[in-house]
Amino acid sequence: MAEWKSLVDTFFLKSDPNGDFRHIAKPPATADLIAATEAKIGVSIPDDLRSFYLCYNGIGLAGGDEPDTPRLILPVEDLPD
């Protein structure tokens, strides 16, 4: 399993070195939410992505009046069908 906290911290540092944006990192998804999403979309989520979602349920950057909605990696429940 990847060390997601370290990778996400590095992503935020390198993509926003001056701290100009809000760093969005949602709390972990539950295994039940992941399973429900897999059932909805009809596809099993790959193991690495599953482990990511068990650490963070989406990440992204937001600036100004943008909503605090993860857009780089969507929350698992927002994956398209």
Side-chain angles (χ1 to χ4, degrees):
M1 259 196 233
E3 294 184 16
W4 292 114
K5 180 169 179 6
S6 175
L7 290 171
V8 169
D9 288 347
T10 299
F11 161 74
F12 285 137
L13 180 65
K14 294 201 177 261
S15 61
D16 183 30
N18 297 324
D20 295 327
F21 297 92
R22 293 186 308 284
H23 299 178
I24 312 304
K26 289 187 68 174
T30 64
D32 288 343
L33 178 58
I34 294 169
T37 299
E38 288 175 322
K40 177 182 90 169
I41 65 176
V43 175
S44 293
I45 294 173
D47 290 342
D48 282 344
L49 186 55
R50 176 185 306 280
S51 72
F52 173 83
Y53 279 127
L54 291 170
C55 293
Y56 297 100
N57 192 16
I59 64 167
L61 297 167
D65 61 356
E66 294 178 314
D68 287 348
T69 303
R71 291 185 303 207
L72 178 65
I73 299 178
L74 295 175
V76 70
E77 65 272 19
D78 292 344
L79 292 175
D81 291 349

